[in-house]
Amino acid sequence: MKIRHSILKSVLTGTGFAGLLLLVTACNRTPLPARTELCMGTVCTVNLYRAGTEELYNSLFQRLNDIEAVFSVNLPGSEISAVNRNAGIAPVAVSDEVRTVLKEACKYAEATGGAFDPTVGPLVDLWGIGGDASRIPDQAEIDAALDLVDYRLLHIDDEAGTVFLPVTGMKLDLGGIVKGYAADELVEIVTAAGIKTALFDLGGNIYAFGVKEDGSPWRVGIKNPQNPAGQPVIRLEIDNMSVVTSGVYERYFEQDGIRYHHILDTTTGYPVWNHVMSATIISPSSLQADALSTSLFMLGPDAGMELLSRFQTEGIIIRDDNTVTATPGIAATMALLDSSFTLQ
């Protein structure tokens, strides 16, 4: 069995992202050093360019660490872990932000008919993709896990301030939305501080805040999902936008020549297989971009593009036949850099 994890590298003049590449720095002059730390289970880089101070960097990374302490399924003391431990036992008192993020997650679950589901934890644990215990479960195990995945059973009580999973074995996993929430929180901090230019890379979730000093937009590249270390396939020009990509190359393992990636189908219990190689969302809300990138990947071009129309946001799908499908707004402005790919 071959297990692969994506490796993210950050440097002062640009940042490598899971699915995304920053193509141009924020300004021509030498910026203040960016800060990179391991938090929220991934490599996170914040670049405040000329406005960076130790105090502000500290406050931004402290916010990331606080969010991890609340939402991580791997930290026994987190609020989410407490909810999971008490599944089928009793409601758990949680913070306002946990209830807020869970309600957002349920909104996207409802919009996707459960394709995106914050109670997917039992399936995630079963496959173990991205960890040291990746494996192909047997069908009985998958069926048992699927019985525990249903966001409609999640009970959020704002009056009591509690969250309850009513069936023993149910488990929340907010990996598909919490990094987006965290990026939006960082935007709130730099906005309040009067920062004009900043770049956040939270393990593949980019937020390009403000504009470059010359007034031009940021340029962001979308990787070739079949050769992520190579040249980007698409160039985007954005400002004050989050760009999030979900792809088959981010976390996976291989067995008997078959790749099993981490985006799990909540109807079959197996990794999604619909010929989609990557799905990218461009949105002023990173939480929305995070949730919808997974949803777009799972739903595919037809249902996925209809979903984006309802949310009035932009997205791009790259399929395994090198065809690219994009919403009209982004299709009109993006640049296709690789002639082996065609825009449908």
Side-chain angles (χ1 to χ4, degrees), residues 216-339:
S216 64
W218 302 85
R219 287 184 171 182
V220 176
I222 298 177
K223 290 182 179 180
N224 181 340
Q226 300 186 48
N227 182 24
Q231 295 299 309
V233 172
I234 293 168
R235 184 182 68 234
L236 305 175
E237 294 189 349
I238 61 170
D239 57 73
N240 284 315
M241 287 285 176
S242 182
V243 183
V244 180
T245 293
S246 294
V248 299
Y249 53 88
E250 293 175 351
R251 297 197 306 275
Y252 64 87
F253 71 94
E254 293 180 357
Q255 184 169 317
D256 300 326
I258 300 174
R259 176 180 296 189
Y260 297 88
H261 61 78
H262 74 291
I263 305 173
L264 301 174
D265 190 323
T266 54
T267 58
T268 68
Y270 285 83
V272 175
W273 181 243
N274 58 2
H275 301 287
V276 173
M277 299 293 283
S278 73
T280 299
I281 299 293
I282 305 95
S283 171
S285 163
S286 194
L287 181 149
Q288 179 181 79
D290 205 359
L292 288 182
S293 67
T294 304
S295 303
L296 181 61
F297 185 102
M298 297 179 73
L299 295 175
D302 295 334
M305 291 299 164
E306 191 277 330
L307 175 71
L308 299 192
S309 177
R310 279 188 276 146
F311 280 97
Q312 297 183 323
T313 194
E314 305 291 345
I316 301 166
I317 286 177
I318 300 176
R319 290 167 56 90
D320 59 5
D321 61 358
N322 285 9
T323 57
V324 177
T325 304
T327 50
I330 205 65
T333 60
M334 73 184 198
L336 196 59
L337 305 177
D338 188 328
S339 61

Side-chain angles (χ1 to χ4, degrees), residues 11-332:
V11 294
L12 296 181
T13 56
T15 305
F17 307 101
L20 305 166
L21 294 169
L22 182 70
L23 300 182
V24 178
T25 59
C27 55
N28 293 325
R29 292 169 290 174
T30 302
L32 292 175
R35 182 185 291 187
T36 297
E37 294 185 12
L38 181 63
C39 52
M40 299 184 67
T42 190
V43 177
C44 296
T45 297
V46 175
N47 199 336
L48 300 178
Y49 298 93
R50 294 190 175 276
T53 65
E54 184 175 0
E55 181 181 16
L56 189 50
Y57 276 122
N58 286 344
S59 68
L60 291 167
F61 277 96
Q62 184 59 56
R63 184 67 184 116
L64 292 179
N65 289 326
D66 290 344
I67 290 171
E68 180 178 18
V70 169
F71 287 94
S72 174
V73 296
N74 299 314
L75 297 177
S78 77
E79 294 184 28
I80 297 300
S81 291
V83 172
N84 291 340
R85 279 196 306 273
N86 284 278
I89 300 173
V92 174
V94 298
S95 58
D96 290 346
E97 72 172 338
V98 165
R99 297 196 310 279
T100 296
V101 173
L102 281 174
K103 285 186 284 188
E104 284 293 302
C106 288
K107 178 180 77 175
Y108 291 105
E110 181 71 23
T112 61
F116 178 91
D117 195 317
T119 67
V120 73
L123 273 178
V124 173
D125 286 352
L126 188 61
W127 283 86
I129 299 172
D132 296 327
S134 302
R135 68 185 183 93
I136 304 172
D138 62 41
Q139 190 60 51
E141 291 176 300
I142 290 174
D143 291 343
L146 284 173
D147 286 342
L148 299 171
V149 179
D150 190 343
Y151 73 94
R152 295 169 297 181
L153 299 179
L154 174 63
H155 185 60
I156 303 169
D157 189 332
D158 282 324
E159 185 174 345
T162 61
V163 170
F164 184 44
L165 294 169
V167 181
T168 302
M170 290 187 75
K171 188 173 183 180
L172 295 171
D173 189 314
L174 296 173
I177 198 169
V178 75
K179 284 193 297 182
Y181 169 71
D184 289 338
E185 288 292 292
L186 298 191
V187 168
E188 292 291 329
I189 293 172
V190 297
T191 300
I195 302 300
K196 303 301 182 184
T197 300
L199 177 71
F200 309 122
D201 164 26
L202 307 185
N205 289 47
I206 304 176
Y207 206 111
F209 177 79
V211 295
K212 294 185 290 181
E213 285 190 346
D214 63 4
S216 64
W218 302 85
R219 287 184 171 182
V220 176
I222 298 177
K223 290 182 179 180
N224 181 340
Q226 300 186 48
N227 182 24
Q231 295 299 309
V233 172
I234 293 168
R235 184 182 68 234
L236 305 175
E237 294 189 349
I238 61 170
D239 57 73
N240 284 315
M241 287 285 176
S242 182
V243 183
V244 180
T245 293
S246 294
V248 299
Y249 53 88
E250 293 175 351
R251 297 197 306 275
Y252 64 87
F253 71 94
E254 293 180 357
Q255 184 169 317
D256 300 326
I258 300 174
R259 176 180 296 189
Y260 297 88
H261 61 78
H262 74 291
I263 305 173
L264 301 174
D265 190 323
T266 54
T267 58
T268 68
Y270 285 83
V272 175
W273 181 243
N274 58 2
H275 301 287
V276 173
M277 299 293 283
S278 73
T280 299
I281 299 293
I282 305 95
S283 171
S285 163
S286 194
L287 181 149
Q288 179 181 79
D290 205 359
L292 288 182
S293 67
T294 304
S295 303
L296 181 61
F297 185 102
M298 297 179 73
L299 295 175
D302 295 334
M305 291 299 164
E306 191 277 330
L307 175 71
L308 299 192
S309 177
R310 279 188 276 146
F311 280 97
Q312 297 183 323
T313 194
E314 305 291 345
I316 301 166
I317 286 177
I318 300 176
R319 290 167 56 90
D320 59 5
D321 61 358
N322 285 9
T323 57
V324 177
T325 304
T327 50
I330 205 65

